Amino acid sequence: MLSESDLALVNALQVWPRAPWSAVAASLGVRSADAVARRWERLSGSGDAWTTAYFAAPANGDCVAFVTVRCLPGTKDEVAAALAHDSCCISVEVTAGAQDLMLTVAAQNLEALNHYLLRRVERIPGLTATTTALVTRFYSEGANWRLHALGASAHAALDPGLDRQQPGTAFTFSALDRRLARLLSENGRASYAELARDAGTSQATARRRTTAMLRSRVLSLRCEVAAPLVGLPVTVTVRGRVAAENVDRVAAGFAGLAPVRMCATVTGEHNLLATVWLPSISAIQQFEQVVARNFPSFVVHDTLVNLRTVKRMGRLLAESGRATGVVPMRAWSATESHQAAV
């Protein structure tokens, strides 16, 4: 378990993943920014917590899909390991329930997604069936989830103060933007000097382009943590259906529940999906009772309990939940689709 001071540090970086250490120290009531930086080096070095970045799919034009997978007995681990090394398969979970695996897949368009599923995923030995649900809208995601180890005043002090562009403002991606996003996916706190060196540009340009992506909301930053180390070892995905006229209200309500890490509307038999972090197996029933009381129009289709997270948002995880490696996230492209077909 992380200490209270470590929880507060992670919470501070959840609010502002690239906050200067001086601002983080002030929010924590610590005098030494260097001491806070060393504490983060310890946490990130051991894989207890980490920062990452990724393109927001609607803004980038990509599509995101949740893919459930059935496997032959005894092959789940091998199938999961094979998929975890694909850059576009950004999350891989081994589940208990009606499905064996749950994947989160990003592709540049529907054609590329179709080719990835047909020519890569469904050709893996041991895999017997897949079901795909496309995300129509995210109501909350991991970047919004908080540990709540800090007070409101500390949260306010960590506001990055980025002036947001108006909704619908166009953003034109360059090859440099994609290189910067890839580097930030490996380390969301990489300095502008490091970004400039590795992306082959100047510090001023690296700062300007990164800030532009964050302001336009096409790039998201998040601070992640090993769930068992914060007392939340049970991850559950709830899938169900709600009438179309109620879907916005119910999804927004779901997103506001403290245990909910991610909530999205999707296509298919069930139109609402939520991922929940809980302290115990018994808490699953308690959560379902809360849902039943607050959202009577929502009908649960199934509940998938996560037996192990193999990969979360590009990070390869040990059974302890700690990060052990990174596969930079990237949407599957048409070029890769043609290569896979060869």
Side-chain angles (χ1 to χ4, degrees):
M1 296 290 291
L2 297 185
S3 67
E4 290 299 321
S5 58
D6 286 343
L7 291 172
L9 172 54
V10 172
N11 193 179
L13 293 181
Q14 287 178 328
V15 178
W16 186 6
R18 290 183 62 81
W21 289 125
S22 57
V24 175
S27 72
L28 301 178
V30 176
R31 291 186 178 181
S32 172
D34 289 340
V36 174
R38 288 194 298 271
R39 187 140 49 93
W40 175 252
E41 288 179 6
R42 174 179 58 80
L43 288 173
S44 58
S46 61
D48 292 353
W50 58 94
T51 54
T52 188
Y54 53 96
F55 282 130
N60 192 35
D62 297 338
C63 60
V64 175
F66 295 111
V67 181
T68 52
V69 174
R70 295 303 304 265
C71 303
L72 291 173
T75 64
K76 285 191 292 188
D77 288 344
E78 290 78 6
V79 174
L83 291 166
H85 287 87
D86 289 353
S87 295
C88 66
C89 194
I90 58 180
S91 295
V92 180
E93 300 175 354
V94 179
T95 59
Q99 305 295 330
D100 294 317
L101 303 177
M102 183 162 182
L103 319 174
T104 305
V105 176
Q108 289 187 355
N109 51 48
L110 291 175
E111 179 187 8
L113 174 64
N114 182 49
H115 286 185
Y116 175 70
L117 295 175
L118 292 177
R119 299 172 181 177
R120 165 58 177 159
V121 176
E122 295 183 6
R123 292 183 179 183
I124 295 177
L127 188 151
T128 60
T130 64
T131 303
T132 302
L134 292 165
V135 174
T136 56
R137 178 180 172 184
F138 282 106
Y139 287 77
S140 66
E141 53 171 326
N144 311 123
W145 184 81
R146 301 287 183 262
L147 285 170
H148 300 295
L150 292 175
S153 59
H155 274 246
L158 286 165
D159 184 349
L162 293 172
D163 294 325
R164 300 294 190 182
Q165 293 184 15
Q166 294 298 317
T169 301
F171 187 93
T172 303
F173 287 93
S174 66
L176 174 60
D177 293 330
R178 296 186 183 278
R179 290 198 298 273
L180 291 169
R182 185 179 179 88
L183 292 168
L184 287 165
S185 76
E186 299 182 49
N187 177 13
R189 289 193 60 83
S191 69
Y192 290 114
E194 293 170 324
L195 292 173
R197 180 196 65 211
D198 295 338
T201 189
S202 67
Q203 287 192 46
T205 299
R207 180 188 296 272
R208 184 175 65 254
R209 296 308 300 171
T210 299
T211 302
M213 286 189 286
L214 293 173
R215 282 178 173 168
S216 62
R217 304 187 187 185
V218 297
L219 186 71
S220 293
L221 290 168
R222 71 163 71 173
C223 177
E224 288 280 14
V225 65
L229 301 184
V230 297
L232 299 169
V234 178
T235 298
V236 175
T237 299
V238 177
R239 303 190 298 174
R241 186 159 195 87
V242 62
E245 62 268 22
N246 297 326
V247 69
D248 281 333
R249 179 182 59 81
V250 173
F254 251 82
L257 297 176
V260 173
R261 280 266 303 182
M262 184 278 298
C263 180
T265 49
V266 296
T267 61
E269 183 179 359
H270 48 272
N271 60 358
L272 193 149
L273 181 150
T275 300
V276 186
W277 280 13
L278 298 169
S280 65
I281 294 293
S282 61
I284 297 174
Q285 184 178 22
Q286 297 169 12
F287 178 77
E288 290 177 339
Q289 290 170 344
V290 170
V291 170
R293 285 196 304 269
N294 289 279
F295 311 106
S297 63
F298 177 71
V299 179
V300 175
H301 177 269
D302 64 3
T303 300
L304 301 177
V305 179
N306 185 345
L307 299 178
R308 184 192 167 193
T309 300
V310 178
K311 182 182 185 184
R312 188 199 317 151
M313 294 302 290
R315 281 303 193 284
L316 301 174
L317 305 184
E319 291 188 8
S320 64
R322 291 182 171 91
T324 60
V326 59
V327 179
M329 293 172 282
R330 182 179 53 179
W332 188 260
S333 68
T335 300
E336 290 167 311
S337 296
H338 292 308
Q339 291 172 346
V342 175

